[in-house]
Amino acid sequence: MDNVNGRYGRGFTLWFTGLSGAGKTTIADIVERELREKFGKIEVLDGDIVRTNLSKGLTFSREDRDTNILRIGFVANLLTRNGVGVIVSAISPFKAARDQVRREIGDDFIEVFVDAPVEVCAERDVKGLYKKAYSGEIEQFTGVSDPYEAPAAAELHIHTDEEDKEDSARRVVAKLEELGYLSRVEEYNRA
Ligand code: ADP
């Protein structure tokens, strides 16, 4: 279909990466609500939920984390190429795995770095996990006892310790608009 960037009606994968508690799910929820009105076909792949089904039984070793991310990427790719807007929220700490998914999905992969200092995430401690991580009850916890490799060239970088969550969500939707996923050419010409 014709549009400015030739992307109207094409699927996409919005990939939210960041520390636990950084705000991935919170922002993804707001974005999902908006996109259901503007786009239609939306699927959400949340890391915590995927670990209860598609990736059930996987550990938090580097190998299993990568396997988890590549599985999510595989499903996201199938959906994306069939015109679905996919929203992924997963810590996805390792750059190589994220970049592999980016290569598989290509131009329709949009990486959103949901960033907050680990101290802020630990202070929020939404799920009580940081307390357990600092006490050693949980091992290999990203940002505390396991690495997080920040994206160097994400399409969007959100600082949730400085921005309002509604503003962050608006920036994500605006990025999709800018890339041409949401607006037909006629609407563009009218604007
Ligand atoms: P994640 O999915 O990254 O693990 P969550 O979305 O589950 O993180 O939790 C993030 C927490 O931070 C929520 O309790 C949310 O209300 C809070 N929060 C505070 N400020 C923001 C913000 N600007 N953006 C997103 N979340 C925020």
Side-chain angles (χ1 to χ4, degrees):
M1 197 180 289
D2 286 356
N3 84 312
V4 195
N5 294 302
R7 291 192 188 179
Y8 182 77
R10 251 169 77 172
F12 55 81
T13 291
L14 266 182
W15 190 284
F16 291 89
T17 172
L19 297 176
S20 176
K24 300 180 295 297
T25 306
T26 303
I27 294 168
D29 282 351
I30 306 172
V31 169
E32 180 192 355
R33 244 180 289 135
E34 282 259 320
L35 290 182
R36 285 201 186 278
E37 289 177 17
K38 288 180 192 270
F39 192 81
K41 286 186 286 184
I42 298 293
E43 282 293 346
V44 176
L45 294 166
D46 183 282
D48 289 339
I49 296 170
V50 168
R51 277 184 175 274
T52 68
N53 44 66
L54 184 64
S55 288
K56 194 171 179 177
L58 290 186
T59 70
F60 289 89
S61 69
R62 161 107 203 212
E63 194 187 353
D64 277 7
R65 284 176 187 269
D66 285 346
T67 299
N68 179 44
I69 292 315
L70 296 180
R71 283 182 189 173
I72 294 174
F74 178 79
V75 176
N77 188 25
L78 294 183
L79 291 166
T80 298
R81 71 186 199 204
N82 279 287
V84 178
V86 185
I87 301 173
V88 175
S89 310
I91 296 172
S92 38
F94 296 112
K95 187 172 182 303
R98 292 193 308 265
D99 285 350
Q100 189 169 335
V101 176
R102 178 189 284 276
R103 279 194 300 277
E104 282 165 15
I105 298 180
D107 279 352
D108 297 316
F109 179 86
I110 302 145
E111 191 173 29
V112 182
F113 180 19
V114 182
D115 191 5
V118 68
E119 298 75 25
V120 172
C121 298
E123 177 73 25
R124 291 176 181 161
D125 212 5
V126 196
K127 300 169 203 152
L129 296 176
Y130 280 93
K131 189 160 179 274
K132 291 183 180 168
Y134 282 115
S135 72
E137 195 181 323
I138 300 178
E139 293 173 358
Q140 291 184 299
F141 194 79
T142 302
V144 176
S145 42
D146 219 55
Y148 177 77
E149 298 172 359
E155 277 70 19
L156 260 184
H157 188 163
I158 285 169
H159 297 271
T160 65
D161 57 327
E162 294 166 3
E163 274 174 47
D164 179 77
K165 60 191 172 189
E166 303 285 345
D167 288 339
S168 301
R170 267 193 288 277
R171 283 178 60 208
V172 175
V173 175
K175 175 55 79 174
L176 288 174
E177 263 160 13
E178 177 195 320
L179 292 171
Y181 288 101
L182 305 181
S183 51
R184 292 171 196 267
V185 70
E186 310 90 76
E187 288 168 4
Y188 185 82
N189 287 338
R190 255 202 318 271

